[in-house]
Amino acid sequence: MRFDVITLFPELFAPFQSVGVTRRAFENKSVDVRLWPLRDFAEDTYRRVDDRAYGGGPGMVMLVEPLTKALGAIQADQALQGLPAPLPVILFSPAGKPLTQARVQSLAQSPGAVLLCGRYEGIDQRFIDAHVDEEISLGDYVLSGGELPALTLIDAVARLQPGVLNDAASHQQDSFSDGLLDCPHYSRPEVLTVDGVEMAVPPLLMSGHHAHIAKWRREQQLTITARRRPELIEIARQSGALSKEDERFLKTLLL
Ligand code: SAH
């Protein structure tokens, strides 16, 4: 799959592609990130990409012209590479739909997208109306640009590519993969002493009894989710992700 990123700060993306497990996705080209520096598509000698807003007020607006040229170049390149249809255009915006693991999973199985990183006050609405297929938000707070949201999306998608995580099963156990939060994890030592207090690993995890361990983990997931994010339990229930046994356990919980 490929991501074409339109950005004023391409240098923010370079270091990310050489670290961690996601590096494998870039090295083996299962995720191909192509950067399109917006300033390269600016019209005038000043390489202007923004201007003041009609109607006044503080802050600058990203101009339609350079964005249209960049998108044109991207779509020409996509056609040249034999893509049957242009990839959808995603804009990062606080006004977008909050990003979810479900959306990450569907994108991970798609041919990719054009990722548009806003800066300043945002983008001329006419470019959005004419070319943007989807607006995605990272959450209810304001960042200074769409680059971190783009990197977030690329990271979340890259770790789902086959062969990227050391253990293929590990993302199936992640938070949200079945609509629930993750269970706690423990490693050595078996007993940790903090300020004279001994903290032991839950003994069941050392029992070697896989079915009991799986049941314990599931119950931990249900407990943590019900306490911290009860709305996710409702969503999991509606999507059929909860078994009869899960429902029985939830009834025993004192929230
Ligand atoms: N005036 C805008 C904020 C602009 S911030 C508003 O109030 O909505 C500049 C750019 O940062 C935006 O165009 C967007 O691409 C990005 N951005 C900021 N916060 C974001 C968020 N929560 N999610 C996704 N993108 C965000």
Side-chain angles (χ1 to χ4, degrees):
M1 69 181 309
R2 81 184 245 180
F3 286 116
D4 291 285
V5 185
I6 303 178
T7 172
L8 282 167
F9 298 101
E11 62 273 27
L12 288 176
F13 291 81
F16 178 78
Q17 292 181 59
S18 58
V19 298
V21 285
T22 49
R23 185 182 67 196
R24 289 189 206 135
F26 306 117
E27 281 174 354
N28 71 19
K29 293 270 172 193
S30 58
V31 178
D32 181 7
V33 178
R34 299 183 189 210
L35 302 171
W36 301 84
L38 187 58
R39 228 168 268 286
D40 293 355
F41 300 92
E43 301 272 87
D44 59 11
T45 41
Y46 302 106
R47 305 222 289 163
R48 239 202 132 91
V49 292
D50 61 314
D51 209 335
R52 283 171 303 192
Y54 282 122
M60 305 297 269
V61 177
M62 288 171 80
L63 294 168
V64 173
E65 274 301 315
L67 289 167
T68 308
K69 283 191 165 178
L71 186 60
I74 290 169
Q75 289 176 341
D77 187 64
Q78 289 175 353
L80 208 67
Q81 299 293 310
L83 261 82
L87 296 175
V89 179
I90 294 176
L91 169 67
F92 296 101
S93 160
K97 212 170 155 198
L99 184 61
T100 61
Q101 187 66 12
R103 186 68 191 106
V104 167
Q105 273 160 359
S106 67
L107 268 168
Q109 283 156 17
S110 80
V114 175
L115 306 181
L116 177 49
C117 307
R119 281 270 158 181
Y120 317 119
E121 280 311 310
I123 286 169
D124 189 308
Q125 185 61 36
R126 291 167 297 180
F127 184 86
I128 302 176
D129 294 342
H131 298 293
V132 170
D133 298 296
E134 180 179 359
E135 292 183 56
I136 290 181
S137 168
L138 274 209
D140 292 341
Y141 42 82
V142 181
L143 300 162
S144 51
E147 284 77 10
L148 289 173
L151 281 165
T152 302
L153 180 70
I154 292 169
D155 181 294
V157 165
R159 65 193 291 287
L160 294 185
Q161 299 302 312
V164 168
L165 295 187
N166 293 318
D167 181 345
S170 75
H171 62 70
Q172 285 154 22
Q173 196 198 291
D174 285 335
S175 288
F176 311 116
S177 64
D178 59 359
L180 301 178
L181 301 177
D182 198 5
C183 62
H185 303 282
Y186 299 89
S187 186
R188 290 181 301 161
E190 228 175 281
V191 179
L192 183 73
T193 308
V194 180
D195 296 335
V197 178
E198 287 194 345
M199 304 174 78
V201 172
L204 195 121
L205 294 177
M206 252 92 66
S207 67
H209 197 302
H210 296 300
H212 288 179
I213 292 171
K215 181 166 179 281
W216 180 86
R217 286 184 169 152
R218 183 73 182 176
E219 291 176 357
Q220 289 290 314
Q221 281 192 280
L222 291 163
T223 306
I224 292 166
T225 310
R227 294 211 169 119
R228 297 190 185 179
R229 301 285 303 278
E231 79 280 13
L232 295 180
I233 294 281
E234 203 39 57
I235 295 169
R237 180 173 287 138
Q238 276 159 22
S239 68
L242 298 185
S243 66
K244 284 208 177 86
E245 204 164 274
D246 291 336
E247 295 288 7
R248 262 198 300 275
F249 176 75
L250 282 168
K251 284 207 187 80
T252 68
L253 274 184
L254 295 172
L255 298 176

